[in-house]
Amino acid sequence: MDVPFLKMHGCGNDFVVLDLRAGLALTPARAAAIANRRTGVGCDQVIGIEPAPAGSRAAAFMRIRNPDGSEAGACGNATRCVASLLAAETGRTVLAIQTISGTLPAELLPDGRVRVDMGPARLGWQEVPLAEAADTLHLDLTTGPVSDPAACSMGNPHATFFVDDLGTLPITTIGPVLEHAPLFPNRANIGFAQVLAPDRIRLRVWERGAGLTLACGSGACATLVNAARRGLTGRRATVVVDGGELGIEWRDDGHVLMTGPVATAFRGSLAWEALPP
Ligand SMILES: N[C@@H](CCC[C@H](N)C(=O)O)C(=O)O
């Protein structure tokens, strides 16, 4: 059976997007096979669009899997991509997408960008989660040249290290060590941020289950929140990632708004029977 897919990206964070509303299942093994950049299509995350749960006001449910098969509670860049697809399908510019972490309102803007309400930043140590009680604004964690990160959850776990010079950091060496640090029982996405101005941050993210990507939307949200909590920025900033720019605002009610581009790279079809169950 041939199953159509879309290859999309947000600031270079790339996705295979599958419409699974007819009932196909995105298992961990299938996602890992699809995401493999040598033997599959290749992507940072595999995204399944599934029916919205009964009674939900959302247009659809979005399942997020990393290349290692693990399931994530949030993916900011993919949420914008799926919102743009659902907007085109329904003719609505305002809609909501259900994830395992909550319902995310989204809006298609006149310039083609998409704004998503990523929900409230969760600041408690149990919410990140951390392995033990700690002040999430200053974690006792050092690896190589980086130390003293701040942590929060955007529906998925993030730690942000603020550094003076991003250019010299050995991210592919320290990223995997930090992702698996015992302090993070569910592992964590690890952001490395250089504050350029009170409204501008340069960010690179070692993503849980995916590695270094060109952009991480939830990471950009977490970074702005952590930077504002530290008094390094205001509550609104442009976050410059390797693949573009994201506008982030931490509203007074605790919700984080993310605005950014979406792009479709190509369409294809998967030989479903060739995938593992
Ligand atoms: N690329 C995403 C985040 C994807 C999930 C993450 N790797 C996790 O495991 O939590 C984004 O744009 O937010």
Side-chain angles (χ1 to χ4, degrees), residues 13 45 64 66 72 74-77 156-157 189 207-208 215-219:
N13 185 197
Q45 273 84 37
I64 307 155
N66 288 313
C75 181
N77 291 317
N156 56 349
N189 299 286
E207 283 196 32
R208 176 179 66 165
C216 178
S218 55

Side-chain angles (χ1 to χ4, degrees), residues 10 13-15 44-45 47 64-68 70-80 118 155-158 179 186-189 205-211 213 215-220 246 258:
N13 185 197
D14 64 340
F15 314 110
D44 293 328
Q45 273 84 37
I47 305 299
I64 307 155
R65 287 207 184 273
N66 288 313
D68 67 356
S70 62
E71 183 159 16
C75 181
N77 291 317
T79 308
R80 295 198 314 279
M118 293 288 289
N156 56 349
H158 288 273
E179 174 192 353
N186 295 348
R187 300 186 283 157
N189 299 286
V205 179
W206 176 269
E207 283 196 32
R208 176 179 66 165
T213 59
C216 178
S218 55
L246 293 167
M258 171 200 58

Side-chain angles (χ1 to χ4, degrees), residues 228-240:
R229 292 167 74 204
R230 287 263 179 106
L232 302 172
T233 65
R235 295 176 75 103
R236 190 189 286 227
T238 298
V239 177
V240 183

Side-chain angles (χ1 to χ4, degrees), residues 65-228:
R65 287 207 184 273
N66 288 313
D68 67 356
S70 62
E71 183 159 16
C75 181
N77 291 317
T79 308
R80 295 198 314 279
C81 290
V82 170
S84 73
L85 294 178
L86 295 172
E89 179 182 296
T90 61
R92 288 159 51 192
T93 55
V94 175
L95 48 84
I97 297 170
Q98 183 85 39
T99 69
I100 57 171
S101 299
T103 306
L104 308 179
E107 181 183 359
L108 180 63
L109 302 180
D111 64 5
R113 291 181 305 156
V114 176
R115 176 171 299 142
V116 178
D117 176 348
M118 293 288 289
R122 299 159 205 187
L123 310 180
W125 70 269
Q126 302 99 326
E127 296 174 294
V128 176
L130 301 177
E132 59 195 37
D135 175 5
T136 61
L137 198 46
H138 292 282
L139 299 183
D140 183 13
L141 180 62
T142 299
T143 295
V146 298
S147 61
D148 185 30
C152 69
S153 171
M154 287 306 312
N156 56 349
H158 288 273
T160 315
F161 289 86
F162 293 97
V163 301
D164 293 332
D165 182 8
L166 254 188
T168 58
L169 274 188
I171 293 177
T172 55
T173 306
I174 60 179
V177 176
L178 291 162
E179 174 192 353
H180 293 93
L183 186 58
F184 305 122
N186 295 348
R187 300 186 283 157
N189 299 286
I190 309 297
F192 302 94
Q194 185 178 341
V195 175
L196 305 174
D199 62 355
R200 199 166 178 84
I201 304 171
R202 177 76 177 94
L203 174 69
R204 303 189 81 195
V205 179
W206 176 269
E207 283 196 32
R208 176 179 66 165
L212 184 61
T213 59
L214 293 181
C216 178
S218 55
C221 296
T223 296
L224 184 271
V225 167
N226 287 332

